[in-house]
């Protein structure tokens, strides 16, 4: 098998024994050697295409969703401008009137009666008003309309959709919001309520991953950002989804390694454990089954996260649990006892507390070494909770992009200035020696690890305010969090996350050196190419 050597301006390896190099040798899909020119095999072919570039390990996105590959099939209504999968820029919408106009325009392009599905709207940016069926009826009243909020934890529907789903007259499941007359106002919070609409539509957006086009688009979007290992951290793991993922990830040009995490709440403990264990037998080098995803609360900016006292800064009622707390604890115990790894959605600190209690009890009853249970988001985890997490050997994967996209909202409305000082407390987690990653939660925010690293380093909101400068991390630490740190949380650090002999030849090739540009310019560095298993994918 031939050997190819790639010289580079600089190689940042994330290998503590050899942090930097100038050359990397690849044989097949693996790294054969890393070092200077003298360390390279003498019979290798030299490929100079990256000679003036900077090479890092391929980025590892430890918390995103394959929905990133599906959402551009629907209409974007977000507050921030965003670029779609085809490169088209969608301007952000700064008023409900602008949103209504975009909905009307799009409805005119659809066949009569066809439901209109849109996404990305965030009511928290429009203080004093909450999106209801009335505003949606004014925009589109002749067909069912569904607007999925940016957090993916809330949706608002029009009157036609309420009627189609039976919500207008049917039973009131938790999360169906009511107006002053006790009637559904169109807002549906969290999974139980939203799934009523999905059932009526005959399509569950969270199961859109069972499509080859979606998976291929997801892989292409990731590779364009330097990502070579990516999660789908809420996968239905249906029979169709498993078969499709196996098929697509075996395609010769599929550019990433996919790690789907099974949505735990869709199954009883016994069924879910058995399904996940069976799926693990289908793993291969570009598809890794194993993680289980447990949803506890919702989102802070959506007011559905569970916060400890004093709860929401502006007096809003506390959020929702996605299942009864006792049931969530029982699921933690069952999956832990089965030897499986849990990735647990915990946005609010009350949700963190519940899960710390559950995990501590599980580890006391059934001790396990190197379990790598990971708390996801944990946006305002406090310092006592951080110390508990360190003592229990937990990993953390924090939503650093929140600092930019919702920092101003948290400062003024949901959390207030004091708690915002510990929003995404990355430096504190590092000081305690906790394995820590950072993520985008795409499509909640755009996929792009260098932007996520920029958020962790600069901690700036969209308006330019710095939130909690004592929790800022160095560029070196941020780069580790999007490579080796994320790989450790996925249990894949023996294969990816650093450039070392025997690991997969997965690399992100950058135009500029992240350790040489200013910290403010980190997010502007262009990804030149992505190398996955030795195969070069030009960007």
């Amino acid at each position: 098998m031939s050997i190819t050597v790639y010289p580079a301006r600089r190689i940042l390896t994330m290998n503590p024994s050899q942090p930097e190099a100038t050359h990397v040798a690849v044989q097949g899909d693996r790294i054969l050697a890393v070092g200077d020119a003298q360390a390279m095999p003498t019979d290798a072919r030299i490929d100079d295409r990256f000679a003036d570039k900077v090479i890092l390990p391929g980025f590892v996105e430890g918390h995103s969703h394959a929905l990133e590959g599906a959402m551009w099939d629907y209409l974007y209504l977000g507050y921030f401008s965003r670029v779609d999968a085809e490169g088209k820029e969608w301007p952000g919408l700064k008023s409900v009137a602008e949103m209504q106009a975009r909905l009307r325009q799009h409805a005119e392009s659809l066949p009569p009666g066809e439901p209109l599905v849109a996404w990305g709207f965030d009511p928290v940016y429009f203080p004093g008003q909450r999106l209801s069926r009335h505003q949606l009826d004014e925009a589109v009243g002749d067909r069912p309309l569904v607007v999925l909020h940016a957090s993916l934890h809330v949706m608002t529907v029009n009157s036609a959709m309420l009627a189609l789903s039976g919500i207008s007259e049917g039973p009131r499941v938790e999360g169906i919001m009511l107006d002053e007359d006790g009637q559904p106002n169109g807002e549906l919070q969290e999974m139980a309520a939203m799934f009523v609409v999905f059932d009526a539509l005959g399509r569950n957006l969270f199961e859109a991953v069972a499509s080859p086009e979606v998976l291929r688009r997801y892989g292409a979007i990731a590779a364009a950002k330097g990502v070579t290992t990516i999660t789908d951290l809420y996968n239905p793991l249906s029979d169709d989804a498993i078969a499709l993922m196996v098929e697509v990830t075996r395609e010769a040009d599929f550019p990433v390694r996919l790690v789907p995490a099974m949505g735990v709440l869709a199954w009883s403990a016994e069924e879910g454990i058995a399904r996940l264990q069976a799926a693990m037998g289908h793993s291969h080098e570009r598809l890794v089954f194993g993680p289980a995803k447990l949803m506890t609360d919702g989102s802070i900016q959506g007011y559905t996260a569970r916060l400890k006292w004093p709860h929401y800064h502006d007096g809003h009622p506390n959020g929702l649990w996605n299942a009864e707390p006792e049931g969530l604890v029982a699921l933690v115990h069952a999956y832990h006892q089965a030897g499986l790894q849990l990735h647990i959605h915990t946005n609010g600190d009350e949700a963190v507390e519940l899960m710390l209690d559950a995990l501590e009890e599980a580890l006391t009853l059934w001790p396990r070494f190197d379990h790598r249970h990971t708390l996801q988001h944990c946006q305002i985890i406090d310092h006592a909770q951080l110390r508990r997490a360190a003592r229990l050997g937990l990993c953390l994967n924090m939503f650093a992009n929140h600092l930019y996209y919702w920092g101003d909202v948290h400062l003024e409305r949901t959390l207030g200035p004091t708690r915002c000082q510990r929003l995404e407390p990355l430096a504190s987690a590092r000081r305690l020696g906790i394995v820590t990653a950072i993520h985008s939660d795409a499509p909640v925010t755009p996929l792009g690890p260098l932007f996520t690293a920029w958020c962790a380093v600069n901690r700036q909101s969209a308006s330019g305010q710095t939130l909690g400068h004592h929790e800022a991390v160095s560029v070196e630490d941020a780069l580790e969090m999007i490579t080796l740190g994320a790989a450790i949380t996925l249990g894949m650090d023996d294969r990816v996350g650093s450039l070392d002999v025997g690991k997969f030849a997965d690399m992100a090739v950058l135009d500029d050196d992240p350790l040489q540009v200013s910290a403010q310019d980190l997010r502007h560095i262009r990804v030149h190419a992505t190398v996955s298993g030795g195969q070069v994918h030009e960007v």
Side-chain angles (χ1 to χ4, degrees):
M1 190 178 295
S2 63
I3 302 169
T4 302
V5 169
Y6 295 102
R9 185 192 343 164
R10 191 181 193 185
I11 299 175
L12 304 175
T13 69
M14 301 300 148
N15 174 4
S17 298
Q18 188 182 30
E20 292 192 30
T22 56
H23 294 68
V24 57
V26 174
Q27 185 173 32
D29 64 351
R30 304 276 177 165
I31 294 172
L32 180 63
V34 183
D36 58 16
Q38 287 68 43
M40 297 297 105
T42 57
D43 57 345
R45 179 179 68 90
I46 305 298
D47 188 328
D48 287 322
R49 75 176 86 183
F50 305 141
D52 63 341
K53 307 300 179 183
V54 177
I55 295 177
L56 274 73
F59 298 138
V60 179
E61 175 53 85
H63 187 144
S64 63
H65 303 276
L67 278 175
E68 174 71 12
M71 297 311 291
W72 292 108
D73 289 336
Y74 305 105
L75 181 67
Y76 178 65
L77 300 177
Y79 183 82
F80 292 92
S81 296
R82 196 145 168 181
V83 177
D84 67 19
E86 306 303 322
K88 175 184 176 181
E89 182 172 353
W90 290 81
L93 302 175
K94 305 304 182 184
S95 69
V96 171
E98 288 183 13
M99 180 206 70
Q100 290 174 318
R102 185 172 288 180
L103 284 169
R104 290 189 195 101
Q105 182 181 20
H106 188 70
E108 292 173 358
S109 69
L110 298 177
E114 179 177 321
L116 194 166
V117 178
W119 67 287
F121 180 76
D122 199 339
V124 79
Y125 284 108
F126 305 100
Q129 55 183 321
R130 193 76 178 174
L131 187 65
S132 75
R133 60 184 171 88
H134 301 295
Q135 292 104 319
L136 296 188
D137 288 346
E138 290 173 4
V140 178
D142 63 344
R143 69 183 71 238
L145 169 60
V146 177
V147 175
L148 190 62
H149 292 202
S151 69
L152 304 183
H153 286 268
V154 182
M155 68 169 58
T156 307
V157 303
N158 68 354
S159 296
M161 189 67 243
L162 286 174
L164 178 64
S165 62
I167 290 175
S168 298
E169 306 298 333
R172 301 285 188 260
V173 303
E174 186 175 18
I176 296 176
M177 299 294 103
L178 306 178
D179 60 22
E180 59 275 9
D181 298 321
Q183 297 301 309
N185 65 10
E187 182 174 319
L188 309 174
Q189 298 184 355
E190 294 304 326
M191 302 302 158
M194 293 194 296
F195 272 48
V196 176
V197 168
F198 291 150
D199 288 343
L201 286 174
R203 53 178 143 156
N204 181 343
L205 268 62
F206 295 111
E207 294 184 1
V209 295
S211 157
E213 293 78 15
V214 165
L215 290 179
R216 292 181 189 123
R217 188 186 300 161
Y218 186 40
I221 292 169
K225 298 298 183 179
V227 175
T228 54
T229 298
I230 194 162
T231 58
D232 179 21
L233 214 66
Y234 195 80
N235 192 285
L237 238 62
S238 63
D239 292 342
D240 288 345
I242 292 171
L244 186 73
M245 286 186 287
V246 170
E247 175 188 344
V248 172
T249 55
R250 286 194 183 279
E251 294 174 353
D253 59 348
F254 192 70
V256 297
R257 304 185 198 284
L258 177 63
V259 186
M262 186 189 74
V264 165
L265 293 179
W267 312 91
S268 69
E270 295 77 11
E271 291 172 327
I273 289 168
R275 173 163 288 271
L276 185 52
Q277 290 172 333
M280 290 165 70
H282 296 286
S283 295
H284 60 83
E285 290 178 344
R286 279 186 288 178
L287 178 63
V288 180
F289 292 103
K293 170 70 177 293
L294 179 61
M295 295 275 290
T296 59
D297 63 341
S299 75
I300 296 176
Q301 73 275 11
Y303 291 103
T304 58
R306 295 288 305 190
L307 304 185
K308 290 166 56 176
W309 187 90
H311 311 303
Y312 285 93
H313 180 65
D314 57 6
H316 194 283
N318 210 351
L320 304 175
W321 297 108
N322 272 295
E324 290 297 323
E326 297 81 4
L328 294 170
V329 170
L331 287 167
V332 168
H333 289 183
Y335 278 80
H336 172 82
Q337 192 177 7
L340 296 168
Q341 186 205 23
L342 284 160
H343 287 255
I344 307 175
H345 169 113
T346 50
N347 253 320
D349 49 3
E350 185 181 8
V352 170
E353 192 77 10
L354 177 70
M355 290 295 98
L356 287 173
D357 289 344
L359 288 162
E360 184 163 14
E361 186 174 20
L363 284 161
T364 301
L365 293 171
W366 307 285
R368 275 177 56 192
F369 297 102
D370 198 27
H371 50 78
R372 304 201 197 185
H373 296 316
T374 301
L375 300 184
Q376 298 283 343
H377 302 327
C378 39
Q379 290 181 60
I380 53 166
I381 184 172
D382 65 37
H383 293 277
Q385 292 174 331
L386 283 170
R387 287 186 285 273
R388 284 186 73 188
R391 189 174 73 250
L392 295 172
L394 302 180
C395 302
L396 303 178
N397 192 342
M398 296 191 195
F399 196 173
N401 287 17
H402 246 272
L403 291 157
Y404 179 84
Y405 284 101
W406 289 285
D408 294 314
V409 169
H410 291 330
L411 186 67
E412 298 167 9
R413 297 174 59 187
T414 60
L415 298 174
T418 302
R419 282 181 288 182
C420 275
Q421 303 311 302
R422 73 167 194 262
L423 190 62
E424 325 295 343
L426 292 163
S428 292
R430 297 284 294 186
R431 284 190 290 268
L432 289 166
I434 300 171
V435 172
T436 306
I438 49 179
H439 65 265
S440 68
D441 200 14
V444 176
T445 69
L447 182 63
L450 287 172
F451 176 80
T452 301
W454 177 88
C455 291
V457 171
N458 294 282
R459 299 186 64 86
Q460 288 181 357
S461 70
S463 71
Q465 297 191 75
T466 300
L467 302 177
H469 70 274
H470 290 293
E471 294 296 349
V473 297
S474 66
V475 173
E476 292 90 340
D477 283 350
L479 293 175
E480 196 224 37
M481 291 177 186
I482 59 173
T483 53
L484 186 59
I488 295 171
T489 70
L490 298 176
M492 295 181 65
D493 52 305
D494 59 331
R495 288 159 279 177
V496 301
S498 64
L499 301 178
D500 199 359
V501 175
K503 287 194 173 185
F504 288 120
D506 293 356
M507 297 177 276
V509 183
L510 310 182
D511 280 347
D512 294 303
D513 187 339
L515 299 185
Q516 293 297 318
V517 303
S518 72
Q520 282 293 342
D521 287 334
L522 186 60
R523 62 174 170 169
H524 300 306
I525 295 176
R526 179 179 174 272
V527 176
H528 175 79
T530 299
V531 182
S532 178
Q535 184 175 352
V536 177
H537 300 272
E538 301 285 353
V539 175

